[in-house]
Structures are given as C-alpha cells and as structure tokens.
Amino acid sequence: MRLFVYHTPEEITTHQMPDCAVAIDVLRATTTMTAAFDAGAEAIQVFSDIDQLMRVSEQWPADKRIRAGERGGAPVEGCDLGNSPLDHSAERTQGRRLFMSTTNGTRCLQRIQKAPMVIAAALLNRQAVVKFLLDHKPETVWMVGSGWEGTYSLEDTVCAGAIAYSLSHEIGAPVENLAGNDALIAAVTLYIHWQDKLLELMRHASHGQRLLGLNKDEDLAYCAQLDRLDIVPIQKEPGILVA
C-alpha cells in the first residue's frame, strides 16, 4: 500500500485517480458526516452549490430530508442546519437523508468522486478508516485534506498523519515504506508531535480560531476526539455517501 497526502483538493490532478481516495475535513464536514451516520442518517448527498442542493432536495419529502448548509463557519439561511456534528441526534436525523454543502469538505469530495473507492475520514473515525483500508487493501491511497478555501489546514494534515501512523503499526512496516510522497512523512511527524494535544492543535489552527470566534469551542472538543466511532462514510455513487 502506498499512501499519499495532499493538503488541499487543488493539489491533485483529476485525470488520474488512486485505488482509494480519502476526503478529510476534520473541522468539520467529515466529522459531521460521521456523526450524522452514527445518529442514523439514511445517506448524505453532497453539493458544492447551495442552489443545486435546494433544487435537488425539493424532490424529497420534508420529513425525510435535512438541508445542511455552511459558509465561512456559519449556517446558510434557508437550511435546517449548519455544519456542526453536535446538531445530529437519533431524534433529528434517523432515517433522513442529509443534503449537505459546506465551504470546503463537500468541494473536496466532489474533486475525488471519480476514484473507484471514496471514503470520508476524521479523527473521530480514524481507526475505522484504518481497518477499512486493511480490509480492502488498495494499492494506492490518496488522503486529501479539504483545507480552507484552497489553503493548508493543520487539522486535516494531522488526521492524515494519524491514519498513516496507525496503518504503519498495524502492518508492521516503517512509515517510509508506505510513503508515496514527502507530505505523508510530514503528516506523520506532525501527528507524533501533537497526538496527545489534539484539541490544543485545533485551537492553534486558523480554522479553529475562526470557530472559536463563532463560540464553537464545543465543536472543537468533539472534532478532536480520536477513534470514537466505528463508522466509515463511503461513496455509493458520485456525490452520495452511505455508512
């Protein structure tokens, strides 16, 4: 297995795809997706365009859909929810389809949707993702951070490093034997340094600072949890994920 890390979707080329592409948006889209599936979501349909989300979701009964829109960390007017994992509970989410558009994470998923296998990862489901990769054994894996509007995000890279670090231990091979690019080595190094201080890293990160400015400290604490949920969102068809 060869692992590659790309800090933003803009770093990858779309004419060639890996065996498995992993979308990472720790703050907060892929964390929210994992939490929504834990709360019983039927599926998650992702959109980069909020108007398209509104049009497509109109085809679903109101009691079977949730519209979740976020821009700049804040909820989008006209949507039921924003992009917080804490919004989801069995009472609110079970059996419903989540129609979701966020600043960065859904854009990342759309960029990699042509890969034969696409999954979503966060710190919350790190070990579940590791098990998935060990079970499916893809030759090439791209871990693609969502970043922030095209720029690097600490929390996405540390998550990629956490996945690679655990894979290395499970396989019994040094990280350098798995590394497809230098960014993978850098991501693991970042994780080793911060593995016991993930919430502190979130608070240092620029997007963490933005969320703190929106009084979302509870979101940061939730997103910083490691290995809490045994769920892997996987693309069933382009733009639609199931658990």
Side-chain angles (χ1 to χ4, degrees):
M1 193 181 300
R2 300 291 282 176
L3 308 176
F4 298 77
V5 169
Y6 298 99
H7 300 301
T8 68
E10 288 77 12
E11 289 186 13
I12 68 171
T13 59
T14 54
H15 68 274
Q16 181 181 3
M17 282 287 154
D19 298 307
C20 180
V22 184
I24 302 173
D25 187 5
V26 174
L27 294 176
R28 293 167 287 171
T30 54
T31 302
T32 298
M33 290 172 185
T34 305
F37 280 126
D38 185 55
E42 174 262 335
I44 298 174
Q45 197 159 343
V46 299
F47 301 84
S48 56
D49 181 75
I50 198 75
D51 293 329
Q52 185 186 18
L53 180 156
M54 292 297 188
R55 288 194 302 272
V56 173
S57 63
E58 276 297 323
Q59 301 168 24
W60 284 72
D63 63 343
K64 292 295 183 182
R65 73 179 184 224
I66 299 174
R67 292 164 165 165
E70 170 266 319
R71 291 293 182 271
V76 173
E77 186 176 353
C79 288
D80 304 303
L81 301 175
N83 184 26
S84 172
L86 300 178
D87 286 339
H88 293 279
S89 63
E91 182 179 38
R92 170 177 273 168
T93 308
Q94 189 165 17
R96 295 183 175 183
R97 176 166 295 209
L98 187 63
F99 295 87
M100 188 174 186
S101 180
T102 71
T103 307
N104 305 295
T106 54
R107 181 174 52 85
C108 178
L109 277 160
Q110 290 196 323
R111 182 86 172 184
I112 60 176
Q113 67 182 9
K114 292 182 180 178
M117 189 183 298
V118 177
I119 62 175
L123 292 168
L124 195 66
N125 67 338
R126 186 272 303 258
Q127 202 55 40
V129 168
V130 168
K131 183 178 184 301
F132 179 94
L133 294 173
L134 290 172
D135 288 347
H136 289 80
K137 298 179 175 58
E139 278 191 34
T140 55
V141 178
W142 290 2
M143 293 187 282
V144 185
S146 297
W148 175 263
E149 297 184 343
T151 62
Y152 171 91
S153 288
L154 273 172
E155 67 277 2
D156 293 344
T157 300
V158 84
C159 180
I163 293 167
Y165 181 82
S166 181
L167 275 169
S168 169
H169 278 262
E170 294 282 351
I171 292 171
V175 169
E176 53 267 29
N177 287 8
L178 301 176
N181 62 0
D182 286 352
L184 188 282
I185 301 291
V188 173
T189 302
L190 183 71
Y191 172 69
I192 290 170
H193 181 76
W194 288 98
Q195 60 183 315
D196 298 320
K197 302 174 289 182
L198 291 170
L199 180 55
E200 185 180 342
L201 177 136
M202 300 276 190
R203 290 174 173 154
H204 285 305
S206 58
H207 191 30
Q209 290 288 312
R210 278 185 287 271
L211 291 173
L212 288 173
L214 294 168
N215 298 314
K216 296 292 185 182
D217 191 50
E218 288 185 1
D219 277 30
L220 260 65
Y222 185 89
C223 294
Q225 297 178 101
L226 191 64
D227 302 336
R228 288 297 302 274
L229 295 180
D230 188 25
I231 291 169
V232 179
I234 182 168
Q235 182 174 264
K236 179 183 178 182
E237 56 186 273
I240 299 177
L241 293 93
V242 296

